[in-house]
């Protein structure tokens, strides 16, 4: 597994845990009672295919929950990418084709300024379909952070699923447990970043985003157009989620 530096936002691909793991059990009901989080960032991790070797962090539901209860919890706003942060271009994989949704950059800065992690959760089946390599997902993500830095904003992490059951690239053709609306990516982020799901939201433009959020124990907000900044402000106010 290739690591990034401590201060660099992380990028992680789908860990594809065994299907028999019931994802909602990883979070468990006691998590909302955990104390609010600090703002420290964990060491970043990029990539890493754990499908054939070491265990996934989602494998042992009971020990995962116990471990989370021993640490101070953080809060996050999870964002879908295509159609939520950027204009939905069919299988977007080049920075030059990226166009921010109105208010998206400001929404991310608002999340940063109010003590929440800003994390992207995205399906990228174009990799499985052979339309672009996995490295393009990371290239676009790096460009997003470079552009956000111009206004003093940043994304803390991206979690992406490159798989699809009907793909054309054998290595990525599978029915994994992390492709939305399945909650694997959100649960992986919750564990690796010590996030309290009850104090977090997921914003996306599709019904599957809302379903994914609910299955992970996170509040789901459907983005239906307009300023994303206003949607984020209303979401945090509506759910009475205090900033750190």
């Amino acid at each position: 597994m290739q690591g990034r530096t401590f201060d660099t936002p992380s990028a992680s691909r789908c860990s594809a845990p065994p299907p028999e793991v019931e994802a909602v059990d990883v979070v468990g009901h006691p998590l909302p009672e955990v104390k609010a989080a600090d703002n420290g960032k964990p060491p970043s991790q990029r990539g890493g295919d754990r499908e054939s070797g070491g265990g996934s962090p989602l494998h042992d539901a009971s020990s995962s929950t116990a471990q989370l209860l021993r640490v101070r919890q953080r809060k996050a706003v999870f964002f879908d990418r295509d159609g939520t942060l950027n204009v939905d271009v069919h299988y977007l994989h080049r920075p030059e084709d990226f166009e921010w949704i109105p208010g998206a950059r400001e929404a991310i800065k608002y999340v940063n300024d109010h003590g929440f992690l800003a994390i992207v959760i995205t399906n990228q089946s174009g990799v499985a379909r052979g339309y672009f390599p996995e490295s393009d997902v990371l290239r676009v993500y790096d460009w997003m952070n470079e552009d956000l830095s111009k206004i003093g904003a940043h994304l803390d992490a991206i979690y992406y699923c490159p798989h699809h059951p009907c793909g054309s690239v054998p290595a990525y053709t599978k029915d994994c447990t992390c492709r939305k609306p399945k909650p694997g990516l959100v649960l992986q982020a919750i564990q690796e970043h010590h996030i309290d799901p009850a104090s977090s939201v997921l914003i996306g433009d599709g019904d599957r985003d809302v379903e994914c959020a609910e299955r992970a124990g996170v509040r789901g907000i459907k983005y239906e157009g307009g300023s994303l900044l206003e949607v984020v402000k209303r979401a945090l106010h509506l759910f009475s989620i205090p900033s750190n």
Side-chain angles (χ1 to χ4, degrees), residues 6-233:
F6 185 88
D7 294 321
T8 307
S10 65
S12 299
R13 57 96 55 92
C14 165
S15 64
E20 62 268 19
V21 174
E22 184 61 35
V24 293
D25 291 337
V26 177
V27 179
H29 298 296
L31 282 180
E33 300 175 5
V34 180
K35 294 179 180 179
D38 60 43
N39 288 320
K41 292 184 180 179
S44 298
Q45 295 179 340
R46 175 190 286 235
D49 190 343
R50 286 172 280 191
E51 295 156 16
S52 59
S56 160
L58 303 181
H59 281 181
D60 187 343
S62 60
S63 64
S64 297
T65 300
Q67 182 180 17
L68 283 171
L69 289 170
R70 289 195 295 268
V71 298
R72 299 180 66 204
Q73 297 295 286
R74 308 159 95 183
K75 298 183 284 289
V77 176
F78 298 101
F79 293 99
D80 172 48
R81 197 191 79 173
D82 302 319
T84 303
L85 290 178
N86 59 276
V87 176
D88 193 0
V89 175
H90 206 45
Y91 296 109
L92 172 72
H93 63 103
R94 303 189 307 168
E96 51 265 41
D97 295 328
F98 191 100
E99 180 182 352
W100 291 102
I101 286 285
R105 295 199 308 164
E106 294 78 9
I108 294 168
K109 189 174 191 309
Y110 185 87
V111 168
N112 298 154
D113 292 345
H114 285 77
F116 291 80
L117 296 175
I119 297 177
V120 177
I121 304 291
T122 178
N123 291 344
Q124 292 297 322
S125 69
V127 176
R129 298 176 191 275
Y131 297 157
F132 52 86
E134 191 172 344
S135 59
D136 278 5
V137 180
L138 302 178
R139 186 162 64 100
V140 170
Y141 172 67
D142 287 340
W143 179 89
M144 292 169 71
N145 263 323
E146 289 173 7
D147 197 55
L148 286 167
S149 68
K150 298 174 183 177
I151 63 167
H154 69 274
L155 293 165
D156 292 283
I158 181 173
Y159 286 80
Y160 63 96
C161 178
H163 305 116
H164 195 278
C166 299
S168 61
V169 181
Y172 296 102
T173 301
K174 62 179 64 183
D175 185 14
C176 75
T177 59
C178 292
R179 178 172 169 78
K180 292 183 293 183
K182 296 176 182 178
L185 291 178
V186 177
L187 292 170
Q188 185 179 345
I190 285 171
Q191 183 171 61
E192 293 180 353
H193 292 270
H194 310 305
I195 293 166
D196 178 5
S199 297
S200 303
V201 298
L202 188 155
I203 301 173
D205 66 320
D207 291 336
R208 67 182 176 184
D209 296 306
V210 176
E211 179 182 347
C212 173
E214 292 173 349
R215 292 173 68 176
V218 172
R219 295 170 172 87
I221 299 290
K222 188 172 181 179
Y223 170 68
E224 298 181 301
S227 169
L228 188 62
L229 173 60
E230 294 307 312
V231 172
V232 167
K233 287 181 177 179

